[in-house]
């Protein structure tokens, strides 16, 4: 059985088939990229996995468990974290609090304990803080710890999105266009981090990406999507030479 | 049965006034995403203007009416310029607060100018009645209904058949995009405020024979018109009028058929019930942010 | 300017980041503790109202400021707390019990209001809370067997350990102060724990909060419940301070006043809630002052600048007429709200921070530091 599996997943908006009977599987420790033109339905697949949308049909499995009917907040608890294409950070909070929200799934304290800030809460906070610090170190975010998000440049926010997802110590991470809006240097950093994610932290990666050089550098396998349908699946080179994919990108 | 029809007609008439105020809410909201809590107070001010022209200066009803509408249109532009434009684009909460402040100000200043007594405007239809068999309907109520229908038609024509109206609809969809398309967004917003103040004035003048004009009437009716707008979905112009009529009818039926006290809360109970089932109102669109 | 060197994760968790805080808050507490023995009973009375308003301000801040759920219905929660206390006291329930019961019941009702509010956003939520408050007001006026209807209810003085605590006594003031301080400390604790961060996350992006594992519905209900419960506690004190309650005390006007408290104070800070409460409570004494003393003072000034006795008397009566105009309070409210929204969106506390920063960075302070960002795209329509 595969680690993560989508079975003939469909999502319809009225007459529009944003995702149309898409099936694929992700193996443990793999980096799988989804490519495709704008509007192909890539983000929609992520939104289905994180349960922002309910699939019109199809099923999703993670670690052999059917998660199609799980409430959205349970997806994170199962160990699936994500980033957003257009950055969904908590604008009016500090970087540190943003990252600490990433720890939410690990918090065990009760409301009344928190009101009194009992020793158990304090101990928990210290653990969270230490884990967050590890992520900060991993992604070189030290200069920004106490800054408000609303004052930070786009490139840094993109990294903080990744950091917040990592703080939840995910098993599977969904990255929606991690390099969009980044310059060449920042994209280079991102590709190193994505590879380190897997090698150092053992996270499985499912990624939507437009930058082909980044896709080629990090992916084990690639899925090409157009009009909500899978065009091709395989190694980066195979998929890019597939005639349907070439046609889709040329706009034919 | 007769009672029922009579209640229905006065409910619809009252509801039309709510609907007209709600219309003002919706116009401004659609164009600027500002919820104008002072809309009812604009109506009150319009009523006072008309009273000044007609009751105090003794002008002809129609001339006074037109004068009040014109004066209030200018006042609407002024209010927009002073209170709203500087904070356009800021969080909704700030803007709501600013209009609440404007409402306070208008209420107390008109209390200072016109005093706290009740005023009534004599209209050409104040006395007449329409008899259909044994059914007796007051002209002033019918006139409200007719005027609302006329106003809505005019607004519909304006928004759908004129260039300016189209520009307004465009800028209500996306202000920034409209701006880049060369639509003078600021002027559009200012005209929207003028229109909504003018519509509010019509409501105020039409209301005058049914209820008295006093400095708090805007607050009281505004708080009824507000549920009307929400009921209608807050983005839809016909929705606002339908919502207003619904609220008016519910209120007058509850006042007639139920125990005392229900009249005032029934609209709110219905509103909460509707929101529970349809959080976006009866005619509203539920839009989600794309991520 | 002070640089903080952090050496331990504790440094980020502590309530007081450095020793300076101990000194200033210690001093403040000392002043507040000796106040009743120094200040006039009139000022103390105002101070009690400040404590009550500030408590409600903090409660509203939790819901509106931190969780992003607007409410124009907090007067209703205050009413529920007040009436519960009055009703239970009538049946001989001791103060500590009905105090707790009032808070719990109000919290429960807050949670019940929170459920339907789950699916509502922005303006829809505002109107739903207004509707709720109207309905509560009407129930209070009609449910005569319990609330005594429009006649209102009397409430006797607090009785602690068998001793009656008059509403003008220092003890009652200390009680209100203690409730305020406990509320503030509890809120601060919450803000440095997972729950508080979940609130802020919901405020800024529900989608992201959800995908980070926050059960948005549950936390919204929690926020409603906590906010309502605190307001309920404040309601008990409010009832005791006034010693008489009736439905028309808990109107939309009062809910708006609470919003003004956090608006004027500064929407995101607990300091702001306290400053805002001081401000709101001071408006009435200020108006009295305007009415009683101001005309004389202005006439005096006119006289010193060479105006004749007749002219000075004239000025005096003009000012007096103006100051006793009926709607003056409303006009002042209106102007204050508009001015704050237009020019001081960060509120009084924001102004204080700016002044502090100005001196810390002098001469490098840039006005743009606190500039608000405009978001012209229709961001709030679809969340
Ligand atoms: N909430 C929605 N309502 C209607 N259509 C949507 C919605 N979200 C996405 N779509 C449509 O679904 C299609 C796929 O969108 P998306 O998954 O965002 O594409 P992309 O591959 O660029 O990430 C697009 O045509 C888009 O317009
Ligand atoms: Mg996308």
């Amino acid at each position: 059985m595969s680690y993560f599996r989508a079975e003939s997943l469909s999502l319809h908006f009225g007459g529009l088939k944003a995702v149309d009977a898409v099936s694929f599987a992700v193996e443990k420790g793999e980096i799988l990229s989804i490519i495709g033109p704008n509007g192909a339905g890539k983000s929609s697949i992520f939104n289905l996995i994180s349960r922002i949308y309910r699939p019109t049909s199809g099923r999703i499995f993670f670690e052999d468990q059917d998660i199609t009917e799980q409430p959205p907040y349970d997806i994170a608890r199962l160990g699936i974290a994500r980033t957003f294409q257009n950055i969904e950070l908590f604008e009016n909070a500090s970087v540190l609090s943003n990252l600490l929200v990433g720890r939410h799934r690990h918090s065990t304290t009760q409301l009344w304990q928190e009101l009194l800030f009992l020793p158990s809460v304090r101990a928990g906070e210290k653990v969270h803080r230490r884990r967050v610090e590890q992520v900060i170190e991993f992604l070189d975010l030290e200069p920004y710890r106490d800054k408000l998000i609303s004052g930070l440049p786009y490139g840094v926010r993109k990294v903080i999105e990744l950091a917040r997802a990592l703080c939840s110590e995910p098993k599977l991470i969904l990255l929606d266009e991690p390099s969009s809006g980044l310059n060449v240097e920042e994209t280079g950093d991102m590709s190193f981090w994505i590879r380190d994610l897997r090698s150092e932290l053992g996270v499985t990666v499912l990624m939507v990406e437009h930058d082909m050089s980044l896709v080629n550098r990090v992916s084990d396998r690639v899925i090409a999507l157009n009009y909500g349908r899978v065009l091709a699946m395989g190694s980066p080179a195979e998929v890019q030479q597939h005639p349907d994919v070439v046609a889709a990108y040329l706009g034919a | 049965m007769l009672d029922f029809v009579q209640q229905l007609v006065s409910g619809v008439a009252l509801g039309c006034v709510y609907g007209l105020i709600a219309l003002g809410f919706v116009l401004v909201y659609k164009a600027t995403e500002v919820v104008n809590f002072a809309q009812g107070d604009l109506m009150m001010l319009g009523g006072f203007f008309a009273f000044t022209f007609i009751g105090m200066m003794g002008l002809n009803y129609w001339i006074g009416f037109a004068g009040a509408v014109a004066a209030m249109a200018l006042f609407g532009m002024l209010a927009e310029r002073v209170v709203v434009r500087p904070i356009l684009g800021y969080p909704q909460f700030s803007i709501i607060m600013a209009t609440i402040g404007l409402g306070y100000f208008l209420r107390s200043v008109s209390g200072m100018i016109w005093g706290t007594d009740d005023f009534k405007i004599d209209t050409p239809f104040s006395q007449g009645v329409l008899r259909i068999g044994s059914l007796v309907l007051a002209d002033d109520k019918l006139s409200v209904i007719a005027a609302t229908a006329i106003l809505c038609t005019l607004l519909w024509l304006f928004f759908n058949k004129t260039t300016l109206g189209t520009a307004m609809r465009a800028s209500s969809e996306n202000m920034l995009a409209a701006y880049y398309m060369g639509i003078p967004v600021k002027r559009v917003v200012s005209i929207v405020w003028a229109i909504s103040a003018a519509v509010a004035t019509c409501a105020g003048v039409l209301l005058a024979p049914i209820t008295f004009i006093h400095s708090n009437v805007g607050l009281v009716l505004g708080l009824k018109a507000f549920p009307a707008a929400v009921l209608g979905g807050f983005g839809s112009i016909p929705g606002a009028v339908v919502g207003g009529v619904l609220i008016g009818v519910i209120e007058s039926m509850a006042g007639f058929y139920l125990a005392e006290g229900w009249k005032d809360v029934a609209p709110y109970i219905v509103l909460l019930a509707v929101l529970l089932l349809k959080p976006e109102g009866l005619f509203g669109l539920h839009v989600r942010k794309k991520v | 300017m002070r640089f903080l060197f952090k050496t331990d994760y504790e440094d980020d968790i502590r309530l007081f980041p450095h020793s300076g805080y101990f000194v200033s808050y210690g001093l403040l507490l000392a002043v507040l503790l000796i106040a009743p023995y120094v200040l006039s009973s009139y000022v103390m009375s105002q101070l009690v109202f400040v404590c009550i308003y500030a408590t409600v301000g903090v409660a509203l801040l939790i819901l509106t400021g931190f969780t992003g759920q607007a409410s124009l219905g907090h007067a209703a929660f205050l009413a529920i707390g007040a009436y519960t206390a009055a009703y239970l006291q009538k049946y001989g329930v001791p103060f500590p019990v009905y105090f707790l019961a009032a808070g719990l019941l109000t919290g429960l009702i807050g949670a019940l209001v929170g459920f339907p509010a789950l699916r509502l956003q922005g303006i829809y939520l505002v109107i739903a809370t207004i509707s709720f408050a109207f309905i509560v007001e009407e129930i209070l006026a009609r449910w005569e067997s319990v609330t005594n209807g429009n006649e209102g209810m009397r409430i006797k003085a607090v009785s602690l350990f068998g001793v009656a605590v008059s509403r003008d006594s220092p003890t009652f003031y200390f009680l209100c102060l203690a409730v305020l301080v406990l509320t503030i400390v509890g809120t601060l604790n919450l803000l440095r724990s997972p729950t508080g961060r979940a609130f802020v996350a919901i405020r800024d992006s529900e989608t992201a909060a959800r995908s980070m594992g926050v059960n948005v519905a549950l936390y919204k209900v929690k926020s409603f419940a906590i906010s309502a419960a605190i307001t309920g506690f404040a309601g008990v004190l409010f009832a005791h301070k006034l010693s008489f309650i009736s439905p028309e005390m808990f109107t939309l006007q009062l809910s708006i006043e609470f919003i003004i408290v956090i608006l004027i104070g500064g929407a995101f800070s607990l300091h702001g809630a306290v400053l805002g409460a001081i401000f709101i409570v001071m408006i009435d004494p200020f108006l009295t002052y305007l009415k009683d003393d101001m005309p004389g003072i202005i006439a005096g000034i006119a006289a010193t600048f060479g105006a004749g006795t007749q002219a000075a008397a004239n000025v005096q009566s003009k000012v007096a007429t103006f100051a006793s105009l009926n709607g003056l309070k409303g006009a002042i409210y209106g102007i204050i709200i508009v001015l704050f929204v237009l020019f001081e969106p960060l509120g009084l506390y924001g102004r204080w921070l700016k002044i502090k920063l100005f001196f810390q960075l002098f001469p490098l302070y840039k006005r743009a530091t606190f500039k608000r960002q405009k978001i012209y795209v229709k961001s709030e329509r679809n969340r």
Side-chain angles (χ1 to χ4, degrees):
Chain A
M1 278 308 240
S2 323
Y3 192 54
F4 174 91
R5 197 150 45 85
E7 270 180 14
S8 60
L9 216 49
S10 295
L11 175 66
H12 298 178
F13 292 112
L16 175 78
K17 294 178 176 172
V19 179
D20 191 7
V22 169
S23 303
F24 64 92
V26 188
E27 300 305 327
K28 190 166 180 162
E30 187 180 30
I31 299 181
L32 176 62
S33 295
I34 304 180
I35 62 169
N38 269 328
K42 308 178 297 292
S43 298
S44 297
I45 292 183
F46 277 18
N47 290 341
L48 285 176
I49 298 173
S50 52
R51 300 286 292 107
I52 292 173
Y53 296 139
R54 185 183 289 273
T56 312
S57 65
R59 306 220 72 83
I60 305 168
F61 298 88
F62 180 58
E63 293 187 316
D64 292 330
Q65 186 189 345
D66 186 343
I67 61 167
T68 326
E69 299 298 332
Q70 298 280 354
Y73 52 84
D74 260 358
I75 301 297
R77 284 185 205 160
L78 291 168
I80 302 179
R82 72 168 288 179
T83 67
F84 295 88
Q85 179 176 353
N86 294 320
I87 301 193
E88 287 284 325
L89 287 170
F90 310 120
E91 284 285 320
N92 299 305
S94 68
V95 171
L96 212 48
S97 349
N98 268 268
L99 300 189
L100 283 168
V101 175
R103 299 287 310 164
H104 190 84
R105 80 173 179 109
H106 297 284
S107 59
T108 51
T109 45
Q110 302 295 316
L111 182 60
W112 64 272
Q113 298 170 315
E114 292 173 357
L115 281 170
L116 300 172
F117 215 72
L118 296 184
S120 60
V121 182
R122 185 177 292 268
E125 283 305 300
K126 279 191 166 180
V127 173
H128 294 325
R129 188 64 184 79
R130 188 171 328 116
R131 286 295 157 86
V132 165
E133 199 56 36
Q134 287 165 354
V135 174
I136 288 178
E137 210 168 296
F138 181 73
L139 297 176
D140 300 330
L141 284 172
E142 289 91 346
Y144 307 108
R145 248 186 232 115
D146 295 319
K147 297 263 191 312
L148 277 191
I149 299 292
S150 52
L152 292 177
Y154 191 84
V156 178
R157 293 180 188 213
K158 216 69 204 183
V159 181
I160 295 171
E161 276 252 320
L162 175 61
R164 184 180 61 185
L166 285 183
C167 284
S168 73
E169 298 179 55
K171 300 174 194 160
L172 170 67
I173 193 167
L174 315 175
L175 305 175
D176 199 347
E177 308 204 4
S179 83
S180 72
L182 299 188
N183 63 30
V184 181
E185 194 188 335
E186 289 165 337
T187 308
D189 286 345
M190 190 59 83
S191 72
F192 283 116
W193 285 326
I194 294 173
R195 271 185 289 186
D196 287 354
L197 270 185
R198 175 190 32 197
S199 56
E200 287 184 21
L201 307 178
V203 182
T204 307
V205 181
L206 178 59
M207 168 173 96
V208 165
E209 185 49 66
H210 275 302
D211 184 330
M212 278 307 168
S213 71
L214 176 63
V215 170
N216 288 333
R217 257 179 292 168
V218 303
S219 328
D220 299 313
R221 279 190 310 140
V222 174
I223 297 177
L225 214 62
N226 199 16
Y227 296 117
R229 293 185 148 274
V230 176
L231 292 181
M233 206 182 301
S235 75
E238 279 168 24
V239 169
Q240 277 171 64
Q241 279 149 21
H242 195 285
D244 289 350
V245 178
V246 176
Y249 271 92
L250 290 177
Chain B
M1 185 57 206
L2 268 185
D3 281 343
F4 180 80
V5 175
Q6 219 121 44
Q7 287 304 317
L8 190 67
V9 171
S10 45
V12 171
L14 191 60
C16 283
V17 173
Y18 296 156
L20 287 180
I21 307 175
L23 204 66
F25 279 130
V26 171
L27 284 176
V28 170
Y29 182 77
K30 266 180 88 77
T32 57
E33 199 171 272
V34 169
V35 180
N36 178 16
F37 269 68
Q39 189 68 33
D41 300 300
L42 290 178
M43 180 211 80
M44 173 271 299
L45 203 59
F48 270 126
F49 276 14
F51 170 75
T52 310
F53 294 152
I54 301 166
M56 288 163 68
M57 292 162 59
L59 293 180
N60 170 285
Y61 176 77
W62 296 105
I63 296 176
F65 195 153
V69 168
M72 280 305 294
L74 285 178
F75 185 85
M77 284 173 148
L78 179 74
E80 189 272 337
R81 184 68 196 81
V82 175
V83 177
V84 178
R85 191 173 306 170
I87 47 172
L88 220 51
Y90 290 138
Q92 216 178 32
F93 181 71
S94 312
I95 307 185
I96 290 186
M97 285 315 294
T99 61
I100 288 183
L102 178 65
Y104 263 114
F105 184 75
L106 294 182
R107 275 196 297 283
S108 51
V109 169
S110 29
M112 290 177 192
I113 297 177
W114 285 284
T116 43
D117 297 336
D118 294 343
F119 295 102
K120 202 171 173 133
I121 303 175
D122 285 325
T123 70
F125 357 87
S126 282
Q127 310 301 332
V129 287
L130 179 72
R131 285 177 204 279
I132 309 171
S134 52
L135 187 66
V136 183
L137 299 172
D139 276 357
D140 49 11
K141 287 183 181 150
L142 295 176
S143 75
V144 173
I145 300 174
T148 306
I150 295 171
L151 259 180
C152 288
T153 318
L154 285 179
L155 281 175
W156 185 85
L157 288 175
F158 174 73
F159 276 103
N160 290 291
K161 302 288 173 198
T162 64
T163 327
L164 187 60
T166 316
M168 282 182 183
R169 276 195 303 157
S171 84
S172 83
E173 296 297 326
N174 185 338
M175 216 183 275
L176 205 58
Y179 179 73
Y180 288 138
M181 298 286 294
I183 292 174
V185 172
K186 284 184 182 165
R187 204 181 318 152
V188 165
V189 170
S190 155
I191 294 173
V192 165
W193 272 76
I195 295 178
S196 96
V199 172
T201 309
C202 293
V205 180
L206 293 171
L207 177 76
I210 304 181
T211 316
F212 295 106
I213 291 284
H214 53 91
S215 56
N216 272 332
V217 74
L219 181 68
V220 176
L221 293 184
L223 283 173
K224 290 276 169 53
F226 208 10
V230 171
L231 209 54
F234 229 108
S236 136
I237 290 179
V241 179
V242 175
V245 170
L246 273 177
I247 296 277
V249 170
I250 292 168
E251 197 181 319
S252 93
M253 292 297 167
F256 192 73
Y257 289 104
L258 296 178
E260 199 198 342
W262 283 100
K263 178 172 181 288
D264 291 327
V265 283
Y268 297 102
I269 294 175
V270 172
L271 176 77
L272 281 183
V274 169
L275 285 182
L276 265 183
L277 300 174
K278 256 184 95 71
E280 61 279 0
L282 291 176
F283 302 95
L285 291 177
H286 187 57
V287 207
R288 275 174 83 163
K289 182 160 131 190
K290 263 173 80 177
V291 288
Chain C
M1 137 172 231
R2 189 193 289 261
F3 290 96
L4 290 180
F5 292 99
K6 299 180 182 173
T7 51
D8 185 356
Y9 295 138
E10 272 283 320
D11 292 336
D12 281 330
I13 297 173
R14 256 196 278 281
L15 279 184
F16 298 120
H18 60 75
S19 57
Y21 282 68
F22 279 110
V23 179
S24 38
Y25 285 106
L27 272 177
L28 180 63
L29 195 65
V31 169
L32 287 174
L33 289 180
I34 56 170
Y37 308 105
V38 186
L39 298 174
S40 74
S41 68
Y42 176 72
V43 178
M44 284 321 294
S45 197
Q46 299 301 314
L47 216 50
V48 167
F49 278 113
V50 168
C51 288
I52 296 173
Y53 270 67
T55 307
V56 181
V58 172
L60 195 55
L61 209 51
I62 294 175
L63 185 65
T64 304
F66 298 135
T67 322
Q69 310 297 304
S71 162
L72 270 177
H74 263 55
F77 294 131
L78 196 78
I80 294 170
Y83 271 93
T84 312
Y87 183 75
L88 290 179
Q89 196 197 44
K90 221 167 62 179
Y91 291 93
V93 177
F95 173 78
V97 176
Y98 69 71
F99 182 74
L100 286 179
L104 285 180
L105 179 69
T106 316
L108 199 68
I109 292 178
L112 288 180
V113 175
F115 274 108
L118 285 180
R119 296 169 64 195
L120 302 177
Q121 301 280 356
I123 192 64
Y124 294 85
L125 184 58
V126 171
I127 188 69
T129 53
I130 292 181
S131 306
F132 161 73
F134 275 137
I135 293 170
V136 169
E137 209 185 312
E138 198 64 31
I139 292 175
L140 293 180
R142 303 280 160 193
W143 195 9
E144 294 185 355
S145 58
V146 172
T147 66
N148 207 18
N150 282 320
E151 306 271 287
M153 284 178 99
R154 299 222 145 266
I155 179 161
K156 293 192 291 283
V158 178
S159 154
L160 271 181
F161 310 111
V163 186
V165 178
S166 135
R167 63 193 171 119
D168 297 318
S169 65
T171 317
F172 187 71
Y173 159 74
F174 287 135
L175 184 66
C176 295
L177 187 63
V179 170
L180 174 62
V181 171
L182 285 179
T183 304
I184 291 178
V185 171
T187 308
L188 287 173
N189 283 342
L190 213 55
L191 286 176
R192 52 179 177 159
S193 323
T195 304
R197 288 193 297 265
F199 287 169
V200 172
I202 291 172
R203 176 190 72 195
D204 285 356
S205 168
E206 282 188 24
T207 312
R210 211 172 265 132
S211 65
M212 292 331 292
V214 175
N215 183 344
V216 172
L218 177 69
Y219 278 93
K220 275 190 188 174
V221 170
K222 274 189 189 175
S223 181
F224 262 99
I226 296 171
S227 181
I230 297 173
T231 312
F233 288 129
V236 181
L237 300 177
F238 188 74
H240 276 296
K241 181 63 195 168
L242 293 176
S243 81
F244 169 77
I245 48 175
S246 67
E248 73 262 26
M249 289 174 175
F250 304 95
T251 54
L252 181 63
Q253 160 78 21
L254 188 63
S255 295
I256 293 179
E257 275 182 21
F258 293 146
I259 290 276
I260 297 177
V261 165
I262 62 172
L263 177 85
I264 287 179
F268 298 111
S269 84
L270 298 181
H271 291 101
V274 178
L275 289 177
I278 296 176
F279 197 96
I280 276 285
V281 173
M282 291 224 315
I283 285 186
D284 272 327
F286 173 72
L287 282 175
T288 318
Y289 169 77
L290 215 57
K291 239 178 258 174
D292 298 348
D293 300 342
M294 208 55 184
I297 293 174
I298 290 185
I301 294 172
T304 33
F305 280 96
T309 352
Q310 184 54 42
N314 232 340
V315 170
Q316 177 160 5
S317 76
K318 284 255 167 58
V319 176
T321 327
F322 173 74
S324 44
L325 273 177
N326 242 332
L328 195 59
K329 185 172 176 180
I332 290 180
Y333 268 18
I335 293 173
I336 287 173
I337 298 174
V338 172
L339 290 183
F340 265 94
V341 172
L342 292 189
F343 301 112
E344 204 66 86
L346 294 174
L348 290 172
Y349 187 61
R351 171 52 50 190
W352 162 242
L353 287 183
K354 282 182 213 173
I355 294 171
K356 211 161 92 173
L357 197 70
F358 177 83
F359 284 109
Q360 281 178 352
L361 297 182
F362 187 82
L364 300 174
Y365 180 79
K366 285 199 308 245
R367 291 198 58 168
T369 314
F370 284 97
K371 200 150 175 59
R372 276 183 289 184
Q373 279 186 331
K374 291 209 176 198
I375 24 167
Y376 277 108
V377 266
K378 303 287 177 115
S379 57
E380 303 200 11
R381 201 173 277 182
N382 27 329
R383 218 184 278 243

